[in-house]
Amino acid sequence: MYAVYINDVWFRYEDNIEWTLYDIDMNLKLGTSVGLVGPTGSGKTTLAKIIKGLLKPTRGEVYILGKKIDDYSSIELAKTVGYLFQNPTHQIFSLTVYDEIAFGPRNIGMENIEDRVNKIAEKFGLSDKLSLSPFNLSTGEKERIAIASVLVMEPEILILDEPTLGQDYKNYNIIKQVIYELKKEGKTTVLISHEIDLINSCVDEIIALKNGKIMFLGNKRDFLKNEDILEELSFLDKNFNLVLG
Amino acid sequence: MVRLGQYVERDSWMHRLDGRSKLIFSFSLMICGLLIENIVILTSIILFTILLSFSAKIGREFLKSLKGIFYLVLFAGLIWLLFYRTSLFLGKSENVTVIARYGPFTIDSLGLIYAIRMPLRILIAISIPTLYFMTTTIREFIISLVKLKIPYVIAFTFGLAAQLIFSLGDEFEKIKEAQTARGLSIDEGSLVKRVKNHIPIIVPFTVRSLDLVEQINIALNLKHFNPKKKSLFYKEKSFGINDWIVVVISLFTLFFSISLSLGIYPRFF
């Protein structure tokens, strides 16, 4: 059984003439960590939102853990697929960090919420901030709260959309460590990122998109060895020479 | 998701028209909708607008975006049906036939006419600007206002406000998605619960709105924006023969609606 199975998916936003995604056929095995890469506007976030059930494909089918995505209720889907959005301010609303992290588990009816929140807060270095207002914290701390509030729901599949965007070196390393541990634990993870270092450390497989189409699907090592693909996906620029001084 | 009045890119005759001719045409149709009381003509204006949207190749998107105001129009009809007598703008009418009575509510023939006429007017007032903005970019809209001799600062403010509405719409969608992803069910439960379910969306939305306004403010200041300084526009549309035809039709529509509302019926009508 695949964690995610996508069969001939095509997607177009209603106000667009062009297809945002087309001819997408792919599957993710349970326990694999996948890097979803590609230039800006290649359709990575759209594909991730389709896997999460936030967008319905114009054509084609999506299966999550062997069950058609349309047959999931919104709560079942929240339990099964976790999604971390690019901007943490899009989800923070509670008066305290504790309530913010506990929001998801309360919605999906989890038990032992206090224990779960304390455990995840410790993992992310937020234990001393649980009673503070999340609005007064730094961007890095907000990002950590956002990741913690998704991970606390213990989803089977986790989608992380640019989790290290705008982070300083220390926060970058904390987040990288968490993603690496998720990979070691055997959690099915989809990581969207432009950071080649993060991709190299935290994923096994690569799905590379360009202009809405899959242009590489396979092993990370093969991907990183292929300079032509790396250049085409803007990870490498052979002609660029940095001149300093 | 198609939003009310969001620009939809197509290659159509309406998209190619100059923003000024479309603006004049939209205003004449809206004035027509306000002045004329005949329900058949009001319905015809709406059908004509729908027809125009299809000729502009955005018919499907136009109808979809208007779907959201269906309940508002229905609610307006109900309010006018039951409470039109309380309106300060109405004189007393003698020829009214009572159709039904339910406790304190009375439904009569005049109420029924208002219950049809007013929603039609609301629909005209919303659908025509919607069609305008779905076929005209915000930039074109600002240029049109400036060319129509509206002071640049007013034109810019209108343009910025219109742009901000769509940006905030995008923000609202993102926040809704983020909270739905954490298991929030917005449309479930009683009315009170549904209102409460919106708090996790409203709070970050307010924060983001204030952020966005502050960012625009900083950006304008950094670029030394001076609304009094005359702006030059890159790539402007020229006023072609089709625009003149549209303006003539608009003036004819205005003339027709004013004559009809004043009770002057020229021989050719």
Side-chain angles (χ1 to χ4, degrees):
Chain A
M1 184 175 61
Y2 292 117
V4 180
Y5 175 71
I6 293 180
N7 179 27
D8 192 25
V9 158
W10 292 56
F11 182 83
R12 177 167 58 195
Y13 286 97
E14 279 174 338
D15 50 349
N16 273 9
I17 312 171
E18 306 277 321
W19 290 101
T20 307
L21 288 175
Y22 62 100
D23 204 11
I24 304 288
D25 274 302
M26 54 165 265
N27 56 61
L28 306 183
K29 284 181 200 134
L30 261 173
T32 36
S33 50
V34 181
L36 188 54
V37 299
T40 313
S42 56
K44 303 183 295 288
T45 299
T46 305
L47 181 58
K49 283 185 179 175
I50 287 174
I51 296 171
K52 172 67 190 162
L54 293 167
L55 292 173
K56 202 174 156 56
T58 316
R59 249 191 251 170
E61 290 163 326
V62 179
Y63 291 84
I64 304 290
L65 300 172
K67 188 174 159 186
K68 210 171 174 182
I69 200 161
D70 298 337
D71 298 336
Y72 278 89
S73 70
S74 58
I75 288 181
E76 275 177 332
L77 214 52
K79 274 182 197 171
T80 317
V81 187
Y83 194 116
L84 175 75
F85 283 78
Q86 273 179 24
N87 191 342
T89 55
H90 281 149
Q91 65 170 62
I92 289 173
F93 76 99
S94 301
L95 294 174
T96 63
V97 173
Y98 177 89
D99 285 333
E100 190 58 46
I101 299 174
F103 177 71
R106 280 179 193 145
N107 282 335
I108 61 173
M110 280 180 123
E111 285 171 0
N112 304 324
I113 291 173
E114 202 177 330
D115 289 345
R116 288 172 195 273
V117 173
N118 287 331
K119 217 170 128 187
I120 204 90
E122 201 183 322
K123 194 171 183 175
F124 283 89
L126 294 165
S127 296
D128 56 336
K129 295 183 171 65
L130 284 175
S131 59
L132 302 179
S133 164
F135 292 103
N136 298 332
L137 300 180
S138 69
T139 313
E141 285 165 331
K142 280 180 188 167
E143 183 72 34
R144 277 189 275 152
I145 295 169
I147 301 180
S149 67
V150 174
L151 282 180
V152 75
M153 293 193 286
E154 295 174 4
E156 301 264 358
I157 302 157
L158 187 66
I159 302 167
L160 304 162
D161 194 350
E162 308 240 20
T164 53
L165 196 74
Q167 299 297 316
D168 58 28
Y169 188 64
K170 195 180 163 192
N171 279 315
Y172 173 85
N173 281 334
I174 292 173
I175 295 166
K176 188 176 156 186
Q177 184 66 39
V178 171
I179 302 170
Y180 180 71
E181 276 168 24
L182 287 169
K183 180 191 161 192
K184 275 178 70 183
E185 285 166 20
K187 178 85 80 186
T188 312
T189 317
V190 178
L191 172 66
I192 301 175
S193 182
H194 291 283
E195 306 266 1
I196 203 84
D197 163 59
L198 190 71
I199 295 284
N200 191 19
S201 317
C202 302
V203 305
D204 304 315
E205 307 277 327
I206 296 282
I207 298 168
L209 287 174
K210 193 177 181 190
N211 299 329
K213 198 171 172 13
I214 293 178
M215 68 170 298
F216 180 91
L217 203 156
N219 190 280
K220 175 184 71 183
R221 279 190 180 81
D222 297 337
F223 174 77
L224 293 173
K225 266 190 239 164
N226 195 329
E227 285 196 358
D228 292 333
I229 283 184
L230 287 176
E231 179 138 28
E232 205 167 337
L233 294 170
S234 311
F235 279 110
L236 188 73
D237 188 355
K238 287 179 195 166
N239 300 321
F240 179 73
N241 289 309
L242 183 66
V243 181
L244 291 173
Chain B
M1 186 190 165
V2 182
R3 282 196 196 89
L4 196 69
Q6 187 159 21
Y7 180 71
V8 180
E9 199 176 345
R10 293 283 187 277
D11 183 23
S12 78
W13 68 275
M14 269 198 86
H15 286 76
R16 282 192 294 272
L17 280 178
D18 188 283
R20 284 171 289 176
S21 57
K22 278 187 273 186
L23 202 61
I24 294 167
F25 182 67
S26 303
F27 268 106
S28 65
L29 265 188
M30 279 164 72
I31 292 169
C32 184
L34 282 174
L35 293 177
I36 287 175
E37 299 203 327
N38 188 313
I39 289 170
V40 178
I41 298 177
L42 292 176
T43 314
S44 307
I45 294 173
I46 292 165
L47 292 177
F48 180 60
T49 314
I50 295 171
L51 209 71
L52 279 179
S53 73
F54 276 98
S55 78
K57 300 177 186 173
I58 54 159
R60 203 171 56 95
E61 290 84 0
F62 177 71
L63 290 178
K64 265 191 179 175
S65 71
L66 283 182
K67 217 165 70 179
I69 59 156
F70 176 74
Y71 289 107
L72 173 79
V73 172
L74 212 67
F75 180 68
L78 189 74
I79 294 292
W80 275 95
L81 180 69
L82 300 175
F83 304 110
Y84 83 95
R85 275 171 236 89
T86 58
S87 171
L88 298 170
F89 303 102
L90 295 178
K92 285 198 173 165
S93 180
E94 300 294 328
N95 306 319
V96 172
T97 319
V98 173
I99 299 167
R101 274 204 176 92
Y102 302 99
F105 303 112
T106 307
I107 296 171
D108 58 38
S109 54
L110 195 59
L112 207 61
I113 289 170
Y114 277 115
I116 301 169
R117 188 187 292 153
M118 290 307 175
L120 285 176
R121 279 183 171 162
I122 293 172
L123 211 55
I124 289 170
I126 295 174
S127 63
I128 292 168
T130 300
L131 183 64
Y132 178 82
F133 283 110
M134 284 180 109
T135 55
T136 316
T137 59
I138 301 290
R139 190 184 148 273
E140 262 184 87
F141 171 60
I142 298 175
I143 295 173
S144 309
L145 290 178
V146 172
K147 283 187 173 174
L148 288 167
K149 306 289 175 209
I150 305 281
Y152 181 66
V153 65
I154 298 175
F156 181 79
T157 311
F158 270 120
L160 195 64
Q163 183 62 56
L164 202 63
I165 290 169
F166 300 127
S167 302
L168 290 177
D170 285 340
E171 289 298 322
F172 188 85
E173 277 307 312
K174 281 178 194 164
I175 293 165
K176 198 172 148 189
E177 279 179 351
Q179 304 302 44
T180 313
R182 291 200 291 166
L184 179 74
S185 312
I186 301 159
D187 301 321
E188 280 172 22
S190 65
L191 188 69
V192 179
K193 193 166 186 295
R194 283 184 196 203
V195 173
K196 261 177 86 176
N197 284 347
H198 276 80
I199 294 171
I201 298 174
I202 301 296
V203 176
F205 178 66
T206 313
V207 174
R208 283 295 298 150
S209 308
L210 294 173
D211 272 356
L212 207 63
V213 172
E214 201 187 335
Q215 277 169 22
I216 291 169
N217 182 26
I218 293 169
L220 290 177
N221 279 318
L222 282 174
K223 290 171 188 169
H224 294 283
F225 175 69
N226 180 5
K228 284 174 190 159
K229 206 172 161 187
K230 198 171 182 283
S231 277
L232 292 171
F233 298 107
Y234 173 73
K235 205 179 173 189
E236 293 173 27
K237 276 183 184 171
S238 56
F239 212 79
I241 183 81
N242 284 348
D243 294 297
W244 283 113
I245 294 170
V246 169
V247 171
V248 170
I249 293 170
S250 310
L251 294 175
F252 180 76
T253 312
L254 258 181
F255 176 66
F256 168 74
S257 50
I258 293 168
S259 325
L260 219 61
S261 68
L262 293 174
I264 309 161
Y265 299 95
R267 273 187 198 163
F268 50 84
F269 287 134

